[in-house]
Each structure stands twice: as C-alpha cells, then as structure tokens.
Amino acid sequence: MNENVKLLDHPLLQHKLTLLRDKNTGSKDFRELVKEIAMLMGYEVTRNLPLKETTIETPICKTTSNVISGKTLAIVPILRAGLGMVDGMLSLLPTAKVGHIGLYRNEETLQPVEYYCKLPKDIEQRTVIITEPMLATGGSIVAAVSLLKSYGVKNIKIMCLVTSKPGIEEVIAHHPDVQIFTTAIDEKLNDIGYITPGLGDAGDRIFGTK
Ligand SMILES: O=P(O)(O)OC[C@H]1O[C@H](OP(=O)(O)OP(=O)(O)O)[C@H](O)[C@@H]1O
Ligand SMILES: O=c1cc[nH]c(=O)[nH]1
Ligand SMILES: [Mg+2]
C-alpha cells in the first residue's frame, strides 16, 4: 500500500464502522456514529500538527509547555455527506476554520459537478483536512483537491470513512502528494458506482433522504 494511505484499524473504529455498514442502523444512530468515528480518526489525522511553546503557570511554578500553533488548520467538508464529520473534528479543534465545497456526483456519468465553494480567506497558509465519508470512483476527491490547489493550498489531508481500491488509485494518480486516512478499503464498486460492500449512500443515510 502507498505510504500516503493510512488505514486506521483501531478496534473502536472497526466496531463503529460495522454498525455504520449495517443497513438496520437508522439515521439518528448513523449520524452519531459518523461523528464519533470522525473524532477518533481526528486523533490520527492531527498527529503531526506543528506545536509551539508557550509559558504558563501551574499551581506550583512557571513552566513552558506546547500548544498547537495558530493559523494552521482548516476543515473542509464536501457537501453534503462530509458535513456529518465536521462536528467530530470541531470537538477536537474548536478554533479551526471551516470551508465548504459543494459537489454532487452525476448519477449517470459518475462525474463530479461543483455547485458551491466558500473557503477561509487565508486558506493557502493552512493545512486542509477534507472530510468526506465515501471515496468511490475518486472523482469527487480528485476535483476537491484540484480546486483547493487552485487556491494555492499545499498541504492536504483527506479523511474518508470508506474508500475503494480503484478510487484510491485514481486519487493517487492525480494527486500523489495528498495523505488519505480511512477506516476501510473495500475491493470494488458495483455497476452503478457504489462501494461494495460499502455502507450505501452516506448522504441519504445521514440526512434521511431516502
Ligand atoms: O468518489 P465518487 O465516485 O466521486 O463518489 C463519492 C461521492 O458521492 C457521494 O456524494 P453524492 O454525489 O451522493 O452527494 P451528497 O453527499 O450530496 O449525497 C459521496 O458523499 C461522495 O461525495
Ligand atoms: O458507495 C457510495 C458511493 C458514492 N456515494 C455514497 O454515498 N456511497
Ligand atoms: Mg449521496
């Protein structure tokens, strides 16, 4: 496996992912699980964040200690389904800026269609963490990364719950510099472009639209 692909297989993640895959899990539980998984994944995704020293006073004495340095991060969900992962990340990083990229996948061509983009003004100075539950053909992630690069963003990490092998290859072929964090790499897509076994349509399951 490519060194930029990180398969997160902690038992807590695997357990919660199984609940997500189960078709009997309803929207309320699905949403809660997506949030919890995002938070647990966030621990790994932020592992190499830069720190700076600050001076504080404990009840005992003055000391120096590390904090995450200022303008370092932006979380960018891909609408709609990526929204489900934002709260979990913001629980860890309450001061992170949040940008939004609106993309939907044309159901016939499977090509991504962009309909919205609003990013923090200084986005090019930040490490961007894209949140997107599903990486299927990879088209949506390739488009989102290209868009961010066109704004000058250099450091991009992608958080996906479920990916497919062919989708990951597609992303690496276009953007070999980005890191992909995921809790599952499924073998294939079915004949209408859904990850198999996957978990179905993440957006519809989060928002109850089917
Ligand atoms: O890797 P790809 O083949 O591009 O497919 C994955 C994309 O499809 C889904 O979004 P969808 O188009 O269903 O939009 P939604 O989030 O608004 O439901 C999913 O959330 C990804 O964005
Ligand atoms: O399996 C898939 C593929 C695209 N979008 C989803 O939500 N699920
Ligand atoms: Mg959808």
Side-chain angles (χ1 to χ4, degrees), residues 59-144:
I60 310 299
C61 67
K62 253 192 179 173
T63 186
T64 56
S65 196
N66 287 328
V67 290
I68 294 170
S69 51
K71 285 185 177 181
T72 57
L73 265 187
I75 299 164
V76 176
I78 299 181
L79 309 180
R80 284 174 304 170
L83 287 173
M85 300 169 74
V86 174
D87 277 358
M89 288 299 284
L90 284 177
S91 314
L92 296 180
L93 302 158
T95 60
K97 302 275 191 228
V98 182
H100 294 84
I101 294 177
L103 286 177
Y104 71 87
R105 195 171 75 148
N106 178 300
E107 283 178 12
E108 260 112 58
T109 64
L110 301 186
Q111 294 304 304
V113 181
E114 187 191 328
Y115 59 90
Y116 188 74
C117 181
K118 182 79 183 172
L119 299 168
K121 248 194 285 179
D122 54 358
I123 190 77
E124 76 286 349
Q125 295 171 37
R126 294 174 181 268
T127 292
V128 171
I129 301 175
I130 295 177
T131 64
E132 164 61 83
M134 310 305 282
L135 191 166
T137 65
S140 300
I141 292 287
V142 168

Coordinates of all heavy atoms in Angstrom, one line a residue, residues 59-144:
P59 N -0.2 25.5 39.3 CA -0.3 25.9 40.7 C 1.0 25.8 41.5 O 1.2 26.4 42.6 CB -1.3 24.8 41.3 CG -2.1 24.4 40.1 CD -1.1 24.4 38.9
I60 N 2.0 25.2 40.9 CA 3.3 25.0 41.6 C 4.4 26.0 41.1 O 5.1 26.6 41.9 CB 3.9 23.6 41.3 CG1 2.8 22.5 41.6 CG2 5.2 23.3 42.1 CD1 2.3 22.5 43.0
C61 N 4.5 26.3 39.8 CA 5.5 27.1 39.3 C 5.3 27.5 37.9 O 4.4 27.0 37.2 CB 6.9 26.4 39.4 SG 7.0 25.0 38.3
K62 N 6.1 28.5 37.3 CA 6.1 28.8 35.9 C 6.7 27.7 35.1 O 7.7 27.1 35.6 CB 6.9 30.1 35.7 CG 6.0 31.3 35.5 CD 6.9 32.4 35.0 CE 6.0 33.6 34.7 NZ 6.7 34.8 34.4
T63 N 6.2 27.5 33.9 CA 6.8 26.5 33.1 C 6.5 26.8 31.6 O 5.6 27.6 31.3 CB 6.4 25.0 33.4 OG1 7.1 24.1 32.7 CG2 4.9 24.8 33.1
T64 N 7.2 26.1 30.7 CA 6.9 26.2 29.3 C 6.2 24.9 28.9 O 6.5 23.8 29.4 CB 8.1 26.4 28.4 OG1 9.0 25.4 28.6 CG2 8.7 27.8 28.6
S65 N 5.2 25.0 28.0 CA 4.5 23.8 27.5 C 4.0 24.0 26.1 O 3.9 25.2 25.6 CB 3.4 23.5 28.5 OG 2.9 22.2 28.3
N66 N 3.7 23.0 25.4 CA 3.3 23.1 24.0 C 1.8 23.3 23.7 O 1.0 22.8 24.4 CB 3.7 21.8 23.2 CG 5.2 21.7 23.1 OD1 5.9 22.7 22.9 ND2 5.7 20.4 23.1
V67 N 1.5 24.1 22.7 CA 0.2 24.3 22.2 C 0.2 24.2 20.7 O 1.3 24.4 20.1 CB -0.5 25.6 22.6 CG1 -0.8 25.7 24.1 CG2 0.4 26.8 22.2
I68 N -0.9 23.9 20.1 CA -1.0 23.8 18.6 C -0.8 25.3 18.1 O -1.4 26.2 18.6 CB -2.3 23.3 18.1 CG1 -2.4 21.8 18.6 CG2 -2.5 23.4 16.6 CD1 -3.7 21.1 18.3
S69 N 0.1 25.5 17.1 CA 0.4 26.8 16.7 C -0.8 27.4 15.9 O -1.4 26.6 15.1 CB 1.7 27.0 16.0 OG 1.9 26.0 15.0
G70 N -0.9 28.7 16.0 CA -2.1 29.5 15.4 C -2.8 29.0 14.2 O -3.5 28.1 14.2
K71 N -2.5 29.8 13.1 CA -3.3 29.6 11.8 C -2.9 28.4 11.1 O -2.3 28.5 10.0 CB -3.0 30.8 11.0 CG -3.7 32.1 11.4 CD -3.4 33.1 10.3 CE -4.1 34.4 10.6 NZ -3.9 35.4 9.6
T72 N -3.1 27.2 11.6 CA -2.5 26.1 10.9 C -3.5 25.2 10.1 O -3.2 24.5 9.2 CB -1.8 25.1 11.9 OG1 -2.8 24.8 12.9 CG2 -0.7 25.8 12.6
L73 N -4.8 25.3 10.5 CA -5.7 24.3 10.0 C -7.0 24.8 9.4 O -7.5 25.9 9.8 CB -6.2 23.5 11.2 CG -5.5 22.2 11.6 CD1 -6.3 21.5 12.6 CD2 -5.4 21.3 10.3
A74 N -7.5 24.1 8.4 CA -8.9 24.3 8.0 C -9.6 23.0 7.8 O -8.9 22.0 7.3 CB -9.0 25.2 6.8
I75 N -10.8 22.8 8.2 CA -11.6 21.6 7.9 C -12.5 22.0 6.7 O -13.2 23.0 6.7 CB -12.4 21.2 9.1 CG1 -11.5 20.9 10.3 CG2 -13.3 20.0 8.8 CD1 -12.2 20.9 11.6
V76 N -12.5 21.1 5.7 CA -13.3 21.4 4.5 C -14.1 20.2 4.2 O -13.6 19.2 3.6 CB -12.4 21.8 3.3 CG1 -13.3 22.0 2.1 CG2 -11.6 23.1 3.6
P77 N -15.4 20.2 4.6 CA -16.3 19.1 4.2 C -16.7 19.2 2.7 O -16.9 20.3 2.2 CB -17.5 19.3 5.1 CG -17.5 20.7 5.4 CD -16.1 21.2 5.5
I78 N -16.9 18.0 2.1 CA -17.5 18.0 0.8 C -19.0 17.8 1.0 O -19.4 16.8 1.6 CB -16.9 16.9 -0.1 CG1 -15.4 17.2 -0.3 CG2 -17.7 16.9 -1.5 CD1 -14.7 16.2 -1.2
L79 N -19.8 18.8 0.6 CA -21.3 18.7 0.8 C -21.8 17.6 -0.1 O -21.3 17.4 -1.2 CB -21.9 20.1 0.4 CG -21.3 21.3 1.1 CD1 -22.1 22.5 0.6 CD2 -21.3 21.2 2.6
R80 N -22.8 16.9 0.4 CA -23.4 17.1 1.7 C -22.8 16.2 2.7 O -22.7 16.6 3.9 CB -24.9 16.6 1.6 CG -26.0 17.3 1.1 CD -27.2 16.4 1.1 NE -27.1 15.2 0.4 CZ -28.1 14.2 0.5 NH1 -29.2 14.5 1.2 NH2 -28.0 13.1 -0.1
A81 N -22.5 15.0 2.3 CA -22.2 13.9 3.3 C -21.0 14.3 4.2 O -21.0 13.9 5.4 CB -22.0 12.6 2.6
G82 N -20.1 15.1 3.7 CA -18.9 15.4 4.5 C -19.3 16.3 5.7 O -18.5 16.3 6.7
L83 N -20.4 16.9 5.7 CA -20.9 17.7 6.9 C -21.0 16.9 8.1 O -20.7 17.4 9.2 CB -22.2 18.4 6.6 CG -22.3 19.5 5.6 CD1 -23.7 19.9 5.3 CD2 -21.5 20.7 6.1
G84 N -21.3 15.6 7.9 CA -21.5 14.7 9.1 C -20.3 14.5 9.9 O -20.4 14.1 11.1
M85 N -19.1 14.8 9.3 CA -17.9 14.6 10.0 C -17.3 15.8 10.7 O -16.3 15.8 11.4 CB -16.8 14.0 9.1 CG -17.2 12.6 8.5 SD -16.2 12.1 7.1 CE -14.7 11.6 8.0
V86 N -17.9 17.0 10.4 CA -17.4 18.2 10.9 C -17.4 18.4 12.4 O -16.5 18.8 13.1 CB -18.1 19.4 10.2 CG1 -17.6 20.8 10.8 CG2 -17.8 19.4 8.7
D87 N -18.6 18.1 13.0 CA -18.8 18.3 14.4 C -17.7 17.5 15.2 O -17.2 17.9 16.2 CB -20.2 17.9 14.9 CG -21.1 19.0 14.7 OD1 -20.7 20.1 14.2 OD2 -22.3 18.8 14.9
G88 N -17.5 16.2 14.8 CA -16.5 15.4 15.5 C -15.1 16.1 15.5 O -14.4 16.1 16.5
M89 N -14.8 16.6 14.3 CA -13.5 17.3 14.2 C -13.4 18.6 15.0 O -12.4 18.9 15.6 CB -13.2 17.6 12.7 CG -12.8 16.4 11.9 SD -11.4 15.5 12.5 CE -10.1 16.6 11.9
L90 N -14.5 19.3 15.0 CA -14.6 20.6 15.8 C -14.5 20.3 17.3 O -14.1 21.2 18.0 CB -15.8 21.4 15.4 CG -15.7 22.1 14.0 CD1 -17.0 22.9 13.7 CD2 -14.5 23.1 14.0
S91 N -15.0 19.1 17.7 CA -14.9 18.8 19.1 C -13.4 18.8 19.5 O -13.0 19.1 20.6 CB -15.5 17.5 19.5 OG -16.7 17.3 18.9
L92 N -12.5 18.3 18.6 CA -11.1 18.2 18.9 C -10.4 19.6 18.6 O -9.5 19.9 19.3 CB -10.4 17.2 18.0 CG -10.8 15.7 18.1 CD1 -10.0 15.0 17.0 CD2 -10.5 15.2 19.5
L93 N -10.9 20.3 17.6 CA -10.2 21.5 17.2 C -11.2 22.7 17.1 O -11.6 23.1 16.0 CB -9.7 21.2 15.8 CG -8.7 20.1 15.6 CD1 -8.6 19.6 14.2 CD2 -7.3 20.5 16.1
P94 N -11.7 23.1 18.3 CA -12.8 24.1 18.3 C -12.5 25.4 17.6 O -13.4 26.1 17.2 CB -13.1 24.3 19.8 CG -11.9 23.7 20.5 CD -11.2 22.8 19.6
T95 N -11.2 25.7 17.4 CA -10.9 27.0 16.7 C -10.6 26.9 15.3 O -10.2 27.9 14.6 CB -9.8 27.8 17.5 OG1 -8.6 26.9 17.4 CG2 -10.1 28.1 18.9
A96 N -10.7 25.7 14.7 CA -10.3 25.5 13.3 C -11.3 26.3 12.4 O -12.5 26.3 12.8 CB -10.3 24.0 12.9
K97 N -10.9 26.8 11.3 CA -11.8 27.4 10.4 C -12.4 26.3 9.5 O -11.8 25.2 9.4 CB -11.0 28.3 9.4 CG -10.2 29.4 10.1 CD -11.1 30.6 10.3 CE -10.3 31.8 10.7 NZ -10.8 32.5 11.9
V98 N -13.6 26.6 9.0 CA -14.3 25.6 8.2 C -14.7 26.2 6.9 O -15.3 27.2 6.8 CB -15.6 25.1 8.9 CG1 -16.3 24.0 8.1 CG2 -15.3 24.6 10.3
G99 N -14.2 25.5 5.8 CA -14.6 25.9 4.4 C -15.6 24.9 3.9 O -15.8 23.8 4.5
H100 N -16.3 25.2 2.8 CA -17.2 24.2 2.3 C -17.0 24.1 0.8 O -16.9 25.1 0.1 CB -18.7 24.7 2.5 CG -19.0 24.7 4.0 ND1 -18.7 25.7 4.8 CD2 -19.6 23.7 4.7 CE1 -19.2 25.4 6.0 NE2 -19.7 24.2 6.0
I101 N -17.0 22.8 0.3 CA -17.0 22.6 -1.2 C -18.3 21.8 -1.5 O -18.5 20.7 -0.9 CB -15.8 21.8 -1.6 CG1 -14.5 22.7 -1.4 CG2 -15.9 21.4 -3.1 CD1 -13.2 22.0 -1.7
G102 N -19.1 22.3 -2.4 CA -20.3 21.6 -2.8 C -20.1 20.8 -4.1 O -19.7 21.4 -5.1
L103 N -20.2 19.5 -4.0 CA -20.0 18.7 -5.2 C -21.1 17.6 -5.2 O -21.4 17.1 -4.1 CB -18.7 17.9 -5.1 CG -17.4 18.6 -5.4 CD1 -16.2 17.6 -5.2 CD2 -17.3 19.2 -6.8
Y104 N -21.7 17.3 -6.3 CA -22.5 16.1 -6.3 C -22.1 15.2 -7.5 O -21.5 15.8 -8.4 CB -24.0 16.4 -6.3 CG -24.5 16.9 -7.6 CD1 -24.9 16.1 -8.7 CD2 -24.6 18.3 -7.9 CE1 -25.4 16.6 -9.9 CE2 -25.1 18.8 -9.1 CZ -25.4 17.9 -10.1 OH -25.9 18.4 -11.3
R105 N -22.3 14.0 -7.4 CA -21.9 13.0 -8.4 C -23.1 12.8 -9.4 O -24.1 12.4 -8.9 CB -21.5 11.7 -7.7 CG -20.7 10.8 -8.6 CD -20.2 9.7 -7.8 NE -21.2 8.7 -7.4 CZ -21.0 7.4 -7.2 NH1 -19.7 6.9 -7.4 NH2 -21.9 6.6 -6.9
N106 N -22.9 13.1 -10.7 CA -23.9 12.9 -11.6 C -24.2 11.4 -11.7 O -23.3 10.6 -11.8 CB -23.5 13.4 -13.0 CG -24.5 13.1 -14.1 OD1 -24.8 11.9 -14.4 ND2 -25.0 14.1 -14.8
E107 N -25.5 11.0 -11.5 CA -25.8 9.6 -11.3 C -25.5 8.7 -12.5 O -25.2 7.5 -12.4 CB -27.2 9.4 -10.8 CG -27.3 9.7 -9.3 CD -28.7 9.6 -8.7 OE1 -29.6 9.1 -9.4 OE2 -28.9 10.1 -7.6
E108 N -25.6 9.3 -13.7 CA -25.3 8.6 -14.9 C -23.8 8.5 -15.3 O -23.3 7.4 -15.5 CB -26.1 9.1 -16.1 CG -27.4 8.4 -16.4 CD -28.6 9.2 -16.1 OE1 -28.7 10.3 -16.7 OE2 -29.4 8.8 -15.3
T109 N -23.2 9.7 -15.3 CA -21.8 9.7 -15.8 C -20.8 9.4 -14.6 O -19.6 9.1 -14.9 CB -21.4 11.1 -16.3 OG1 -21.5 12.1 -15.2 CG2 -22.4 11.5 -17.4
L110 N -21.3 9.5 -13.4 CA -20.5 9.4 -12.1 C -19.4 10.5 -12.0 O -18.5 10.5 -11.2 CB -19.8 8.0 -12.0 CG -20.7 6.8 -12.0 CD1 -19.9 5.5 -11.7 CD2 -21.8 7.0 -10.9
Q111 N -19.6 11.6 -12.9 CA -18.6 12.7 -12.8 C -19.1 13.7 -11.8 O -20.3 13.9 -11.6 CB -18.6 13.4 -14.2 CG -18.0 12.6 -15.3 CD -16.6 12.1 -14.9 OE1 -15.7 12.9 -14.6 NE2 -16.4 10.8 -14.9
P112 N -18.1 14.3 -11.0 CA -18.5 15.3 -10.0 C -18.9 16.6 -10.6 O -18.3 17.0 -11.6 CB -17.2 15.5 -9.2 CG -16.1 15.1 -10.2 CD -16.7 14.1 -11.1
V113 N -20.0 17.2 -10.0 CA -20.4 18.5 -10.5 C -20.3 19.5 -9.4 O -20.8 19.3 -8.3 CB -21.9 18.5 -10.9 CG1 -22.4 19.8 -11.4 CG2 -22.1 17.4 -12.0
E114 N -19.5 20.6 -9.6 CA -19.3 21.6 -8.5 C -20.4 22.6 -8.4 O -20.9 23.1 -9.5 CB -18.0 22.3 -8.7 CG -17.6 23.2 -7.6 CD -16.4 24.1 -7.9 OE1 -15.6 23.8 -8.7 OE2 -16.5 25.3 -7.4
Y115 N -21.0 22.9 -7.2 CA -22.0 23.9 -7.2 C -21.8 24.9 -6.1 O -22.6 25.8 -5.9 CB -23.4 23.2 -7.0 CG -23.6 22.3 -5.7 CD1 -24.0 22.9 -4.5 CD2 -23.3 21.0 -5.8 CE1 -24.1 22.1 -3.4 CE2 -23.4 20.2 -4.6 CZ -23.8 20.8 -3.4 OH -23.9 20.0 -2.3
Y116 N -20.8 24.8 -5.3 CA -20.5 25.7 -4.2 C -19.1 25.7 -3.7 O -18.5 24.6 -3.7 CB -21.5 25.4 -3.0 CG -21.4 26.4 -1.9 CD1 -22.1 27.7 -2.1 CD2 -20.8 26.2 -0.7 CE1 -22.1 28.6 -1.1 CE2 -20.7 27.2 0.3 CZ -21.4 28.4 0.1 OH -21.4 29.4 1.0
C117 N -18.5 26.8 -3.4 CA -17.2 26.8 -2.8 C -17.1 28.1 -1.9 O -17.2 29.2 -2.4 CB -16.1 26.8 -3.8 SG -14.5 26.8 -3.2
K118 N -16.8 27.9 -0.6 CA -16.6 29.0 0.3 C -15.4 28.6 1.2 O -15.6 27.7 2.0 CB -17.8 29.4 1.0 CG -17.7 30.5 2.0 CD -17.8 31.8 1.2 CE -17.6 33.0 2.1 NZ -17.5 34.3 1.4
L119 N -14.3 29.3 1.1 CA -13.1 28.9 1.9 C -12.6 30.0 2.7 O -12.8 31.2 2.4 CB -12.0 28.4 0.9 CG -12.4 27.3 0.0 CD1 -11.3 27.1 -1.1 CD2 -12.5 26.0 0.8
P120 N -11.9 29.7 3.8 CA -11.3 30.8 4.6 C -10.4 31.6 3.8 O -9.7 31.1 2.9 CB -10.6 30.1 5.7 CG -11.2 28.7 5.8 CD -11.7 28.4 4.4
K121 N -10.3 32.9 4.0 CA -9.5 33.8 3.2 C -8.0 33.4 3.1 O -7.4 33.5 2.0 CB -9.6 35.3 3.8 CG -10.4 36.2 2.9 CD -10.1 37.7 3.3 CE -10.9 37.9 4.5 NZ -11.0 39.0 5.3
D122 N -7.5 33.0 4.2 CA -6.0 32.6 4.2 C -5.8 31.1 4.0 O -4.9 30.5 4.5 CB -5.4 33.1 5.5 CG -6.2 32.5 6.7 OD1 -7.2 31.8 6.5 OD2 -5.7 32.7 7.8
I123 N -6.7 30.5 3.2 CA -6.7 29.0 3.0 C -5.3 28.5 2.6 O -4.9 27.4 3.0 CB -7.8 28.6 2.1 CG1 -8.0 27.1 2.1 CG2 -7.6 29.0 0.6 CD1 -8.7 26.6 3.3
E124 N -4.6 29.3 1.8 CA -3.3 28.8 1.2 C -2.3 28.6 2.3 O -1.3 27.9 2.1 CB -2.8 29.7 0.0 CG -2.2 31.0 0.4 CD -3.3 32.0 0.9 OE1 -4.5 31.8 0.7 OE2 -2.8 33.1 1.4
Q125 N -2.5 29.3 3.4 CA -1.5 29.1 4.5 C -1.8 28.0 5.5 O -1.1 27.7 6.4 CB -1.5 30.4 5.4 CG -1.0 31.6 4.6 CD -1.3 32.9 5.4 OE1 -1.1 32.9 6.6 NE2 -1.6 34.0 4.7
R126 N -2.9 27.3 5.2 CA -3.4 26.3 6.2 C -3.2 24.9 5.7 O -3.2 24.6 4.4 CB -4.9 26.5 6.5 CG -5.1 27.8 7.2 CD -6.5 28.1 7.4 NE -6.7 29.4 8.1 CZ -6.8 29.5 9.4 NH1 -6.8 28.5 10.2 NH2 -6.8 30.7 10.0
T127 N -3.0 23.9 6.6 CA -3.2 22.5 6.3 C -4.7 22.3 6.2 O -5.4 22.6 7.1 CB -2.6 21.6 7.4 OG1 -1.2 21.8 7.3 CG2 -2.9 20.2 7.2
V128 N -5.2 21.7 5.1 CA -6.6 21.5 4.9 C -6.9 20.0 5.1 O -6.2 19.1 4.6 CB -7.0 21.9 3.5 CG1 -8.5 21.4 3.2 CG2 -6.9 23.4 3.3
I129 N -7.9 19.8 6.0 CA -8.4 18.4 6.2 C -9.7 18.3 5.5 O -10.7 19.0 5.9 CB -8.5 18.1 7.7 CG1 -7.1 18.2 8.4 CG2 -9.0 16.7 7.9 CD1 -7.2 18.0 9.9
I130 N -9.8 17.5 4.4 CA -11.1 17.3 3.7 C -11.8 16.2 4.4 O -11.3 15.2 4.7 CB -10.8 16.9 2.2 CG1 -10.1 18.0 1.5 CG2 -12.1 16.5 1.6 CD1 -9.8 17.6 0.0
T131 N -13.1 16.5 4.7 CA -13.9 15.4 5.3 C -14.9 14.9 4.2 O -15.7 15.7 3.6 CB -14.7 15.8 6.6 OG1 -15.6 16.9 6.3 CG2 -13.7 16.3 7.6
E132 N -15.0 13.6 4.0 CA -15.8 13.0 3.0 C -16.0 11.6 3.4 O -15.0 10.8 3.4 CB -15.2 13.2 1.6 CG -15.7 12.3 0.6 CD -17.2 12.6 0.3 OE1 -17.5 13.5 -0.5 OE2 -18.0 11.8 0.8
P133 N -17.2 11.1 3.7 CA -17.3 9.7 4.2 C -17.0 8.7 3.1 O -16.4 7.7 3.4 CB -18.8 9.6 4.5 CG -19.3 11.0 4.7 CD -18.5 11.9 3.9
M134 N -17.3 9.0 1.8 CA -17.1 8.0 0.8 C -16.2 8.4 -0.3 O -16.3 9.4 -0.9 CB -18.5 7.7 0.2 CG -19.6 7.4 1.2 SD -19.3 6.1 2.3 CE -19.6 4.7 1.3
L135 N -15.2 7.5 -0.6 CA -14.3 7.7 -1.8 C -14.6 6.5 -2.7 O -14.1 5.4 -2.4 CB -12.9 7.8 -1.3 CG -11.8 8.2 -2.3 CD1 -10.5 8.5 -1.5 CD2 -11.5 7.2 -3.4
A136 N -15.4 6.7 -3.7 CA -15.9 5.6 -4.6 C -15.1 5.5 -5.8 O -14.0 4.9 -5.9 CB -17.4 5.8 -4.9
T137 N -15.5 6.3 -6.9 CA -14.6 6.3 -8.1 C -13.4 7.2 -7.8 O -12.4 7.1 -8.5 CB -15.3 6.9 -9.3 OG1 -15.6 8.3 -9.0 CG2 -16.6 6.2 -9.6
G138 N -13.5 8.1 -6.8 CA -12.4 9.0 -6.5 C -12.6 10.4 -7.2 O -11.9 11.3 -6.9
G139 N -13.6 10.4 -8.1 CA -13.8 11.7 -8.9 C -14.0 12.9 -8.0 O -13.5 14.0 -8.3
S140 N -14.8 12.8 -7.0 CA -15.2 13.9 -6.2 C -13.9 14.4 -5.4 O -13.7 15.6 -5.3 CB -16.3 13.6 -5.2 OG -17.4 13.2 -5.9
I141 N -13.2 13.5 -4.9 CA -12.0 13.9 -4.1 C -10.9 14.5 -5.1 O -10.3 15.5 -4.7 CB -11.3 12.7 -3.4 CG1 -12.3 12.2 -2.3 CG2 -9.9 13.0 -2.9 CD1 -12.3 13.1 -1.0
V142 N -10.7 13.9 -6.2 CA -9.8 14.5 -7.2 C -10.2 15.9 -7.5 O -9.4 16.8 -7.5 CB -9.7 13.6 -8.5 CG1 -9.0 14.4 -9.6 CG2 -9.1 12.3 -8.2
A143 N -11.5 16.2 -7.8 CA -12.0 17.5 -8.1 C -11.8 18.5 -6.9 O -11.4 19.6 -7.1 CB -13.4 17.5 -8.5
A144 N -12.1 18.0 -5.7 CA -12.0 18.9 -4.5 C -10.5 19.2 -4.3 O -10.2 20.4 -4.0 CB -12.5 18.2 -3.3

